[in-house]
Amino acid sequence: MFKRLKQKSNDQGTAQSSRNIALLLLAATLVFVSFSLFSSVLTWILLLVACGAVIRGAIYYNYYKHLPSIRTLNLLALLSILGLIYSALSAGLLFGMVNLLILACALKLMQMRSQKDVYQLVISLFFLIGCGFIFNQSIGFSLFYALLCLTLLLSLACYHAPSIRIQKQLKTISILSLQALPIGLLMFLVLPQLSPLWHTPKADGAQTGLSEQITPGDIARLSQSSELAFRATFEDTPPVIQQLYWRAIVMEDFDGKTWKVHGYRKKMRELQLKIKQQFKPILTGSFFNYEVIAEPTYQPWLYALDIAVPADPKSSRNIMQSSDFLLFSQQPLANKYQYAVRSYPKALASQTLSVTDKKINLSLPANGNNRTREWVNKLRAQFRNNNDFVDAVLRHFVDNPFVYTLRPEIMLVDPVDRFLFDNQAGFCSHYASALAYALRLGGIPARIVTGYQGGELVKNPGESPYMSIYQYDAHAWVETWGDKTGWQRIDPTALVSPDRIEFGLRQAMQEEGSFLADSPFALARLTNIAWLNNIRLFLADLDYNWSRWVLGFNSEKQRDLFKSLLGKLTPERLSMLGLGIVVTIAMLLGLFFLPHWLQNRVATTQRLYLKALSAFEKEGTQRATWQGPSAFNQQINEQYPTKVSDPFTHITQLYLRLTYQNKLDTDSSILSVKQCHRMMRRYLALLKSELLKN
Amino acid sequence: MLHNKLAMAIEQSCQVLIGKQQQVKLALTCLLANGHLLIEDLPGMGKTTLSHTLAKVLGLEYSRIQFTSDLLPADMLGINIFDNNEQTFRFHPGPIFNQLVLADEINRASPKTQSALLEAMEERQVSLDGETRPLPSPFFVIGTQNPSHQSGTYPLPESQLDRFLMRIQLGYPDKEAEKSMLKTQMGNVQHAVETVMDIAEFIELQNKANQVHASDELLNYILRLVTFSRESNQFANPLSPRATKALLSSAKAWAFINNRDFLIPEDVQAILPAVAEHRLRSASSDFSAQGSLSKLLLEAIDPIAA
């Protein structure tokens, strides 16, 4: 007896601890989700989350038994709300909401007592995981969030059935999730990809990538980063690498040190956005198509090769073209953004140069860089022809021992002078800046374009080739205006360090050893080790396919998929497809539930009989648990008048017949199972009405 | 037609054993299921009468062996005797070579003789001096025994009790029955009993009884009963697979006697005390609980539950 008691208390103990495991899992999930949103969650809220987790942990390990009192928590909640309102006012709606949600979860975790609390927390956590996708969408995070969802389900299961071992629960949950996977996949593929009813609140992240102003030296920072900038998928063979100048930003405002996007252009763009007017370049010659998946930059600039226009209707809806042949999106890129472009490499960027344009592109700071001014004046006196003058300026870079380096000296005063005549070492932005300045001094309109140059080409057999362009591919070059040729690209860096253009930064910096010198563990740095490089390429490939096929799966991709399935998209075919999918899902579900359903069919007999029994139970006559049906029928016959007992006798007989008789005895006189059930139902109704009359 | 004969057999037997219809039916069930029967009761309760009547009604060759403490196996099985005229051994079959053998007061014989009988019961053949002789078919043993705590008895061990398909108790007749017995049966009434069928018919009945349908639900019920006896801690000796088979075959015969061609839980419930009681043994040493073991088993299991 004692032993049994002890065992019972043990059972209760394990049940209790299993429930505690469930709560602990919830705590862990909350911690992981909130830390995955680390950058956009307030530190003190993270601290609260940690406190909640510590409390749960202490309870689990029996260090401590008491939850904080409701009064404490109410006070805490009040103070937190005030604090949150204070910080959210400046940081925006999304930020505030996410923090509020995390805060609420943390407090719930501390307060959690009843089943209701657990449900609330689980649902909030699911929502929170959903919110996580606003900030992180990479394949790694997706897996991570999927894992957290599994953990949530596991904790629910543990909470509901505490007596079952957690390993078994895990198995059940995994099987259930695997079963849900194909349906989820199918729904992902075929459900209409509606654009959201309201705009997903944009996360305001720090701007990354290129910036709207450039002081020689800035790109050095970028070139230390091996992060992905964007990927481009080409329909055919991509152009040779020397031609791959990905334009992003044009800068025309120079103050002697720093190049900026000109205020006039900014205003023009705002105006364009307002009146939705596109700039339409004149396009000639051959073209090629490609698709770009840009990483989030929180800036509107898009990347494209020379004279590009949006290539599909969706892109042309969202992408604006400005008069300096740039593409920009209507909203800053807060997520990965995919767009299709068509480039006309032979077309001339030869819109007329308006007076304003000319003024902007010739404007110079009033003073400074005097040596350069003198030098240019001397050259200009020598070469009246514009082309000759440009050549002469460029020759200066060739004739003097210029060095391409990622570690230039800092030039604070008269940077162009010092660069051109003293240091003669720098990288693309130094060269571009000096050249543009010199050309403007010589009266030739010139501007700086920043963007990326080159990229890493991946050609998998059977797939379209794609390029990965990393931040270290960032580049700056010059465009000058010629009356016949329009805007033309001149890249002084190519003269100084042809390797940079032809083979990329890594090759160019091989001797100096400064490539990614600040991030010694970057995989991109270790391309010499073959297997590491293979891993890097494989990861890049995986990420590319994830962005392209999962994140980039939009209504257009969906239509392409339908097209490849159906051929031509006619309403009949579409409706057939829809019908087919519905039928497929129904059949899958049917197959899944059929055994269960069949079992239920057999049990109908039982159910009807039990209904009759419960009718008598209401009248106060209960069948002893061991009593067989016909014995009970006899008892009823003795206790009740024939009006009542007769229908029951029929029910009993039908029940006995259906349950115990040989089903293989298919005598033609024997009623079918269905008929028997119908009769049973009829007798049941009769029995109930008779019992009521009694 | 055959069923009528069965009903007649029951009716005839009941004329002799007044008020013992249930026991008569059980005994007949046991024979239809091709099993041996153990009747346990005090002297003078009609054990011998029942077996005698059954033999007569069913038209079976009948012999009776009175077991005593000095009965030897050879007395029962038979012996080889040297024939002087033919200069060979000749086998003199013992009383066991009959279709229905009444082993009277089986627990008075020594274990040696008991086991010789029980071996014959199980194997349905006799091995003597290196020669195996089959027993007639059908072959039944109706053993009677006095309650084991009477003096001068060798109680049968469980392993041997298991060989009997059923054990029944006759019990005292009620007042009415005893009165009518006094009124009608002051002579030897067994002569008035008529034989209603021959061996062939009896064997056909046996076959038909075996064909009674047992649905899955019913088999599950039997299995639940058996499993309960094994899993519950109330039984020291749970039911063996042989007992499971015995339950099914007896329930079939019972359903057949009740003129049904399929089994219902009540059939199992009706024969369970007779089939299971002598195979079960209580785990507690409290003897007063012994009588209700099969009831305990029955009441634990719901026949309707799926």
Side-chain angles (χ1 to χ4, degrees):
Chain A
M1 189 68 192
F2 177 70
K3 206 172 164 189
R4 203 177 292 172
L5 251 181
K6 200 174 167 192
Q7 199 182 0
K8 203 170 178 187
S9 74
N10 243 349
D11 283 350
Q12 270 175 356
T14 54
Q16 199 56 42
S17 78
S18 188
R19 288 211 153 168
N20 275 334
I21 287 182
L23 302 185
L24 199 66
L25 283 176
L26 286 183
T29 313
L30 178 58
V31 169
F32 283 127
V33 179
S34 13
F35 278 86
S36 80
L37 305 175
F38 185 76
S39 56
S40 43
V41 180
L42 292 167
T43 318
W44 58 270
I45 289 183
L46 283 182
L47 278 179
L48 276 184
V49 169
C51 282
V54 166
I55 288 175
R56 281 293 147 198
I59 286 172
Y60 178 72
Y61 288 109
N62 276 330
Y63 292 140
Y64 190 69
K65 283 209 172 63
H66 306 286
L67 291 168
S69 76
I70 296 287
R71 274 176 64 184
T72 320
L73 284 176
N74 279 344
L75 190 66
L76 195 58
L78 205 67
L79 290 175
S80 310
I81 291 292
L82 288 178
L84 191 59
I85 289 174
Y86 175 74
S87 9
L89 275 179
S90 56
L93 185 68
L94 177 70
F95 172 83
M97 285 302 149
V98 169
N99 277 288
L100 181 64
L101 197 58
I102 293 179
L103 173 68
C105 288
L107 292 177
K108 199 54 154 176
L109 191 66
M110 294 185 201
Q111 181 246 319
M112 198 158 47
R113 284 184 170 85
S114 64
Q115 196 179 34
K116 194 182 75 182
D117 297 330
V118 176
Y119 287 165
Q120 283 175 352
L121 187 60
V122 167
I123 289 169
S124 312
L125 281 175
F126 269 123
F127 193 76
L128 201 57
I129 291 176
C131 287
F133 280 107
I134 298 180
F135 299 92
N136 309 305
Q137 298 159 325
S138 70
I139 189 162
F141 268 109
S142 302
L143 287 177
F144 175 66
Y145 286 141
L147 200 69
L148 285 186
C149 283
L150 271 186
T151 320
L152 273 188
L153 291 175
L154 181 66
S155 80
L156 255 191
C158 282
Y159 188 78
H160 261 279
S163 55
I164 300 174
R165 285 159 55 84
I166 192 162
Q167 288 89 338
K168 210 179 159 197
Q169 302 269 29
L170 190 60
K171 204 175 147 197
T172 319
I173 294 294
S174 317
I175 289 174
L176 283 177
S177 308
L178 278 182
Q179 283 171 338
L181 198 63
I183 295 181
L185 216 60
L186 195 61
M187 298 220 303
F188 174 72
L189 287 179
V190 302
L191 275 191
Q193 301 271 329
L194 295 175
S195 48
L197 295 177
W198 59 90
H199 266 290
T200 345
K202 278 183 292 297
D204 279 332
Q207 299 190 342
T208 58
L210 301 168
S211 65
E212 293 189 7
Q213 57 176 11
I214 183 171
T215 311
D218 280 355
I219 286 190
R221 179 181 54 79
L222 270 187
S223 59
Q224 294 296 348
S225 160
S226 61
E227 267 177 48
L228 185 68
F230 63 97
R231 286 206 172 93
T233 315
F234 290 88
E235 271 180 11
D236 305 309
T237 340
V240 288
I241 203 153
Q242 290 93 324
Q243 298 297 321
L244 288 174
Y245 281 85
W246 303 93
R247 301 172 89 240
I249 308 176
V250 172
M251 291 169 203
E252 294 163 313
D253 185 11
F254 185 54
D255 66 354
K257 248 197 237 168
T258 306
W259 289 85
K260 279 185 196 149
V261 175
H262 202 278
Y264 171 74
R265 302 281 181 214
K266 279 191 193 167
K267 268 188 207 139
M268 286 300 286
R269 273 188 207 105
E270 274 163 29
L271 193 70
Q272 255 189 306
L273 275 179
K274 220 179 266 170
I275 59 173
K276 303 263 171 207
Q277 198 201 11
Q278 291 274 24
F279 172 79
K280 290 209 168 58
I282 297 163
L283 302 166
T284 50
S286 60
F287 60 84
F288 52 89
N289 289 330
Y290 51 100
E291 256 181 21
V292 177
I293 307 168
E295 294 290 308
T297 56
Y298 304 99
Q299 300 190 66
W301 310 110
L302 301 177
Y303 320 104
L305 296 171
D306 256 340
I307 313 198
V309 287
D312 65 349
K314 190 188 148 234
S315 299
S316 48
R317 259 199 314 281
N318 293 330
I319 295 179
M320 306 293 285
Q321 167 99 253
S322 70
S323 60
D324 39 10
F325 308 99
L326 290 182
L327 298 179
F328 61 100
S329 143
Q330 300 194 2
Q331 288 104 30
L333 308 185
N335 299 317
K336 287 199 183 205
Y337 183 64
Q338 186 171 9
Y339 54 96
V341 209
R342 171 176 297 175
S343 278
Y344 294 80
K346 300 265 164 54
L348 292 179
S350 57
Q351 249 60 32
T352 48
L353 189 72
S354 68
V355 182
T356 328
D357 286 344
K358 194 164 180 175
K359 209 178 107 194
I360 289 173
N361 282 296
L362 285 173
S363 70
L364 289 164
N367 43 34
N369 296 317
N370 291 326
R371 284 156 75 192
T372 314
R373 284 171 191 262
E374 280 167 29
W375 173 65
V376 169
N377 285 341
K378 227 168 38 189
L379 274 184
R380 193 65 190 172
Q382 219 174 330
F383 302 99
R384 300 309 306 168
N385 185 306
N386 277 355
N387 284 344
D388 293 344
F389 171 68
V390 173
D391 285 345
V393 173
L394 287 176
R395 208 172 304 126
H396 178 74
F397 292 112
V398 183
D399 292 346
N400 291 292
F402 277 92
V403 177
Y404 187 76
T405 175
L406 285 181
R407 296 166 177 159
E409 271 180 49
I410 296 164
M411 295 162 266
L412 288 175
V413 187
D414 291 344
V416 180
D417 279 4
R418 295 201 54 195
F419 171 68
L420 278 179
F421 304 108
D422 301 340
N423 281 329
Q424 304 198 325
F427 56 92
C428 54
S429 55
H430 294 91
Y431 290 100
S433 169
L435 177 64
Y437 179 65
L439 291 180
R440 280 190 180 186
L441 281 176
I444 298 174
R447 61 193 187 190
I448 282 196
V449 181
T450 59
Y452 297 87
Q453 199 278 323
E456 187 175 54
L457 182 67
V458 177
K459 254 187 201 167
N460 288 329
E463 286 174 33
S464 346
Y466 71 89
M467 301 197 85
S468 302
I469 290 91
Y470 297 95
Q471 294 296 0
Y472 56 71
D473 290 318
H475 194 51
W477 59 93
V478 178
E479 281 181 349
T480 61
W481 175 263
D483 288 327
K484 282 180 200 152
T485 50
W487 286 105
Q488 257 199 329
R489 184 177 64 228
I490 300 180
D491 187 358
T493 314
L495 297 174
V496 178
S497 171
D499 282 357
R500 163 69 186 85
I501 307 306
E502 214 161 321
F503 304 110
L505 189 66
R506 182 183 307 129
Q507 202 71 23
M509 291 297 107
Q510 211 160 32
E511 277 169 35
E512 194 179 81
S514 58
F515 177 65
L516 295 181
D518 291 350
S519 41
F521 297 111
L523 277 176
R525 209 168 165 252
L526 304 168
T527 42
N528 292 336
I529 305 170
W531 63 272
L532 271 179
N533 197 37
N534 283 345
I535 288 180
R536 187 181 68 90
L537 287 178
F538 172 74
L539 288 179
D541 217 32
L542 205 66
D543 188 55
Y544 164 73
N545 282 313
W546 174 257
S547 321
R548 192 166 152 77
W549 297 114
V550 182
L551 298 181
F553 190 81
N554 51 24
S555 47
E556 243 133 277
K557 281 260 168 66
Q558 193 175 36
R559 207 164 54 217
D560 287 349
L561 180 76
F562 288 165
K563 249 183 203 164
S564 68
L565 284 179
L566 301 175
K568 217 173 138 198
L569 288 184
T570 58
E572 296 90 53
R573 284 188 181 176
L574 269 182
S575 51
M576 282 299 284
L577 179 74
L579 203 67
I581 285 160
V582 169
V583 168
T584 314
I585 292 180
M587 265 168 59
L588 280 178
L589 288 179
L591 270 182
F592 185 70
F593 285 114
L594 194 67
H596 183 74
W597 184 71
L598 281 181
Q599 235 173 6
N600 193 36
R601 286 293 303 164
V602 177
T604 310
T605 318
Q606 181 99 2
R607 210 182 58 233
L608 289 171
Y609 182 67
L610 289 178
K611 270 186 185 168
L613 289 189
S614 68
F616 279 111
E617 208 167 307
K618 273 181 208 152
E619 292 295 310
T621 314
Q622 198 171 1
R623 182 185 67 99
T625 44
W626 51 272
Q627 225 170 1
S630 81
F632 184 63
N633 182 37
Q634 212 157 356
Q635 187 191 334
I636 293 295
N637 277 335
E638 285 158 16
Q639 281 185 12
Y640 286 86
T642 43
K643 270 199 168 177
V644 176
S645 63
D646 255 9
F648 186 67
T649 307
H650 283 292
I651 292 175
T652 308
Q653 275 168 358
L654 286 165
Y655 171 70
L656 288 177
R657 178 173 175 174
L658 286 174
T659 315
Y660 296 111
Q661 213 165 16
N662 194 350
K663 280 153 194 122
L664 301 176
D665 253 2
T666 42
D667 203 331
S668 58
S669 66
I670 287 181
L671 298 166
S672 73
V673 176
K674 251 187 193 167
Q675 281 169 313
C676 284
H677 283 161
R678 211 174 302 142
M679 282 171 73
M680 276 178 90
R681 284 198 185 96
R682 207 179 309 140
Y683 283 124
L684 187 62
L686 188 65
L687 173 70
K688 278 182 179 167
S689 68
E690 288 297 334
L691 275 175
L692 268 183
K693 274 186 217 161
N694 250 5
Chain B
M1 182 65 196
L2 275 170
H3 261 294
N4 287 346
K5 293 206 165 169
L6 208 52
M8 271 164 64
I10 293 168
E11 193 195 338
Q12 294 273 328
S13 312
C14 285
Q15 278 175 17
V16 183
L17 287 123
I18 293 168
K20 292 283 164 222
Q21 198 188 8
Q22 181 76 2
Q23 282 81 350
V24 168
K25 274 167 86 174
L26 276 175
L28 204 60
T29 303
C30 182
L31 300 189
L32 276 178
N34 210 8
H36 306 292
L37 178 68
L38 183 63
I39 307 176
E40 184 182 88
D41 222 322
L42 295 166
M45 302 295 280
K47 302 188 289 277
T48 320
T49 317
L50 174 62
S51 46
H52 206 141
T53 312
L54 279 177
K56 179 116 198 245
V57 166
L58 300 178
L60 301 171
E61 293 168 23
Y62 173 79
S63 72
R64 169 179 175 154
I65 313 170
Q66 186 66 46
F67 277 41
T68 55
S69 52
D70 57 355
L71 185 79
L72 294 175
D75 297 335
M76 183 174 64
L77 304 178
I79 45 170
N80 286 312
I81 294 174
F82 191 72
D83 191 332
N84 258 337
N85 296 335
E86 297 182 19
Q87 294 289 305
T88 55
F89 280 101
R90 212 155 52 112
F91 180 64
H92 276 254
I96 202 164
F97 285 88
N98 273 301
Q99 285 167 330
L100 198 154
V101 177
L102 173 65
D104 217 358
E105 302 197 71
I106 194 170
N107 56 348
R108 286 199 185 280
S110 61
K112 190 179 178 184
T113 316
Q114 281 176 1
S115 58
L117 171 70
L118 292 160
E119 200 186 322
M121 281 163 63
E122 187 63 20
E123 309 287 332
R124 291 177 194 261
Q125 63 187 20
V126 170
S127 297
L128 252 178
D129 296 341
E131 203 174 331
T132 304
R133 297 167 202 279
L135 290 166
S137 174
F139 172 73
F140 301 111
V141 171
I142 297 182
T144 74
Q145 78 170 348
N146 296 323
S148 51
H149 45 82
Q150 277 209 335
S151 55
T153 57
Y154 299 94
L156 292 172
E158 285 87 5
S159 60
Q160 302 197 341
L161 277 174
D162 204 28
R163 308 271 163 90
F164 287 99
L165 183 70
M166 284 188 186
R167 184 186 71 174
I168 59 173
Q169 280 151 335
L170 288 174
Y172 297 107
D174 58 22
K175 238 187 218 166
E176 285 296 312
E178 206 159 2
K179 192 173 174 189
S180 86
M181 179 188 85
L182 290 176
K183 272 187 185 164
T184 55
Q185 299 187 355
M186 285 316 284
N188 189 353
V189 284
Q190 281 181 28
H191 296 300
V193 176
E194 286 173 29
T195 303
V196 294
M197 63 182 86
D198 56 20
I199 301 290
E201 283 171 328
F202 181 72
I203 288 177
E204 200 184 336
L205 281 175
Q206 273 189 333
N207 288 339
K208 285 212 163 156
N210 200 33
Q211 284 162 14
V212 167
H213 174 72
S215 67
D216 272 3
E217 284 83 355
L218 192 106
L219 295 181
N220 287 340
Y221 176 52
I222 292 180
L223 288 176
R224 281 206 301 277
L225 285 166
V226 174
T227 313
F228 178 77
S229 82
R230 291 169 195 168
E231 284 173 357
S232 160
N233 52 8
Q234 288 159 302
F235 305 100
N237 279 3
L239 293 175
S240 61
R242 189 195 291 173
T244 319
K245 273 164 75 184
L247 276 175
L248 181 63
S249 60
S250 335
K252 280 181 172 178
W254 180 264
F256 184 67
I257 284 182
N258 287 306
N259 208 355
R260 216 170 336 93
D261 64 351
F262 60 94
L263 281 179
I264 60 173
E266 278 83 352
D267 297 325
V268 180
Q269 292 179 348
I271 51 88
L272 187 111
V275 176
E277 191 72 52
H278 63 289
R279 301 172 204 254
L280 292 168
R281 204 153 57 87
S282 173
S284 71
S285 51
D286 184 5
F287 268 95
S288 63
Q290 198 93 17
S292 57
L293 277 182
S294 53
K295 203 176 160 202
L296 203 79
L297 189 56
L298 277 180
E299 290 186 353
I301 304 297
D302 185 350
I304 288 178

